[in-house]
Each structure stands twice: as structure tokens, then as C-alpha cells.
Amino acid sequence: MCYGVVFGKEVQDDGKLGSNLGTASVSQYRGLIFLGGFSYADTLGSAKGWAANILHNSILLPQFQAFKRREDVFSLGICNGCQLMTLIGFVGCLGSEVGVDPDVALLHNRSERFECRWATVKIPSNRSVMLRCMKDLILGCWVAHGEGRFAFREEKLISVLQSAELVTLQYVDDTGEPTELYPLNPNGSPRGIAGLCSTDGRHLGLMPHPERCSAMNQWPYVPPSFEVSPKQAESPWQIMFNNAYNWCVN
């Protein structure tokens, strides 16, 4: 299983798939990126096979538990990676342990369809180190998922997470207000929730795909009121990736 991009250590790759299997440790890295892309084709449910590969592995589980407790690391999960992060306890919980029974899950879209579309999201006030300086931005973003609806064991947990500024992204309507109305909200997530972060802000899970629109030429639509220079190559989403780099080096 590939855990994506790593930060903070030079890693040599000889080009052979799985060549580092059993030789690398999560402790070597400053950052982990849990990629989107349907692990195990989601035939076992949203990222459940991927999560089981960590939670029931005597070698991997202690590594992820130690990584979550470290204060000099970060992680990002996109789409399938976001599903994974809720299942292993990186986001969606107020504690710091990995492997506890999760209070948050990602369920099938209420439309009962795979939704691939350009959606509008807002970044509320939150603790994420990757989304710092991006509060109140309303941006277009790609979504592509069949199981993207956040579900909570207890409804009161939603208010707790919002009060703690752990909700990082919300689907919004044309007035910029969080919505559950389809198709503006592609999956029916309560209060338009589309992303969560950990209490320390270092771990971030997002269902939409900002990495697919970090450049302006990846945007299918730009509102007339959206101020952007014709020569501007990067979109505002690039800020979050720059933030991750700057957080590591500083």
C-alpha cells in the first residue's frame, strides 16, 4: 500500500514497486499524504480494507500510533485518504490515540451515485496548519466520490467539532452559506461538512480534491467577481501545500 508523498527526509527509489517493503518506517518522515483513489476498489467499504491493513498489523499500528503522538509531523488525507483518517482516528475524534472505535464515518452519498463535479466550498475558522491564512475563502473545488457523506455516532458531536474549530471545509450555496441541498452539497453531509482536522491542527482530512485544482488552468469555471490575473498560474489552493512546506522548514 502506498502512503503517498513524504516530507523531511531524502528517500532513494530504485524504481522497483515495493522495493522498500519492510525496510521503511513511518518514523522516518515528517509528513504523510494518504492519497485518494479507491483502495481495494472500495469493495470492502470506504477505506475499511486500507484501515484494517494498519489497525490489524503488529508492525504498522505502533508506527502510526507513535506518528500521531509526535509534535513535529503532519498528514493530509484526500477523498479515500480522508475516509482512512476517520477510521484510524487521525481526524474526527478529540483524543490522540489510533485504533479506537471511530465516532465518524463516511457513508454512501444520498444521491446513491458516484458524484464527480465542480463544487463550491468555504473554509471556516479552523485549527489546520495547512489552511492557516485561508479563513473565509470561498473556492471552487473538484469532488469525486461515491461515499463522501460524513456521519456521526451522536449528532451533538457535530456541534462539538465545530465549536472546537475542527471542521475545515463546508459545501456552500450561492450566498456562501453551508448547505445540505443537492447538488450544491454532492453527498448530503450534515451542515455541509467536507473536511475535518485533529485537535492540534496537524492532521487534515478532506473529501474534495484541492490537489486537482491547485493551478488556475484546472478550474473549469471562474466567477466574474473572482479576482485573478490572466498570468496567474497557481490557484488559491496552492497556499495549503505551501503552508505544509513552510511549517516543516520553519
Side-chain angles (χ1 to χ4, degrees):
M1 181 61 64
C2 175
Y3 295 110
V5 181
V6 297
F7 291 80
K9 181 179 177 66
E10 183 177 351
V11 180
Q12 294 183 346
D13 183 1
D14 60 10
K16 296 180 180 179
L17 183 64
S19 59
N20 292 324
L21 185 64
T23 63
S25 169
V26 173
S27 63
Q28 297 174 260
Y29 308 126
R30 292 285 309 281
L32 297 180
I33 308 298
F34 303 107
L35 305 175
F38 304 103
S39 62
Y40 300 95
D42 272 355
T43 54
L44 302 178
S46 58
K48 290 183 175 64
W50 193 359
N53 195 41
I54 295 171
L55 298 177
H56 301 290
N57 186 301
S58 60
I59 297 176
L60 289 178
L61 179 58
Q63 294 183 32
F64 280 85
Q65 289 173 328
F67 187 88
K68 177 75 184 300
R69 289 192 292 264
R70 285 173 58 185
E71 297 182 356
D72 63 336
V73 299
F74 79 97
S75 66
L76 169 67
I78 299 291
C79 196
N80 206 218
C82 177
Q83 297 167 344
L84 172 72
M85 293 181 80
T86 63
L87 291 171
I88 65 175
F90 268 45
V91 299
C93 62
L94 301 179
S96 60
E97 291 304 311
V98 174
V100 298
D101 191 21
D103 292 322
V104 182
L106 278 300
L107 304 183
H108 286 283
N109 302 339
R110 291 204 181 278
S111 67
E112 299 183 357
R113 300 174 179 176
F114 178 85
E115 299 288 344
C116 182
R117 65 176 69 250
W118 184 248
T120 304
V121 294
K122 182 177 182 178
I123 302 171
S125 179
N126 67 87
R127 299 188 187 186
S128 171
V129 298
M130 292 189 68
L131 297 176
R132 59 179 54 175
C133 307
M134 299 180 71
K135 175 187 174 182
D136 294 332
L137 283 183
I138 297 176
L139 303 170
C141 194
W142 287 111
V143 297
H145 55 252
E147 295 177 285
R149 175 167 56 93
F150 279 89
F152 302 86
R153 188 185 300 275
E154 296 183 2
E155 187 174 355
K156 65 181 182 181
L157 179 60
I158 302 176
S159 297
V160 171
L161 294 174
Q162 285 190 307
S163 298
E165 297 189 334
L166 304 184
V167 174
T168 58
L169 213 60
Q170 291 174 284
Y171 301 108
V172 295
D173 59 23
D174 293 339
T175 66
E177 293 299 318
T179 183
E180 298 179 15
L181 182 66
Y182 179 86
L184 302 174
N185 179 328
N187 51 52
S189 283
R191 305 188 194 181
I193 294 174
L196 298 171
C197 70
S198 60
T199 54
D200 53 25
R202 294 183 292 104
H203 305 287
L204 174 65
L206 304 174
M207 278 309 296
H209 287 265
E211 84 287 357
R212 295 187 183 182
C213 43
S214 60
M216 289 307 304
N217 61 11
Q218 297 170 316
W219 286 43
Y221 173 73
V222 179
S225 60
F226 192 85
E227 296 183 6
V228 56
S229 168
K231 298 182 180 180
Q232 181 176 331
E234 295 180 349
S235 88
W237 287 116
Q238 183 60 39
I239 297 173
M240 63 179 285
F241 302 105
N242 296 344
N243 284 341
Y245 174 81
N246 292 333
W247 184 83
C248 279
V249 298
N250 294 329

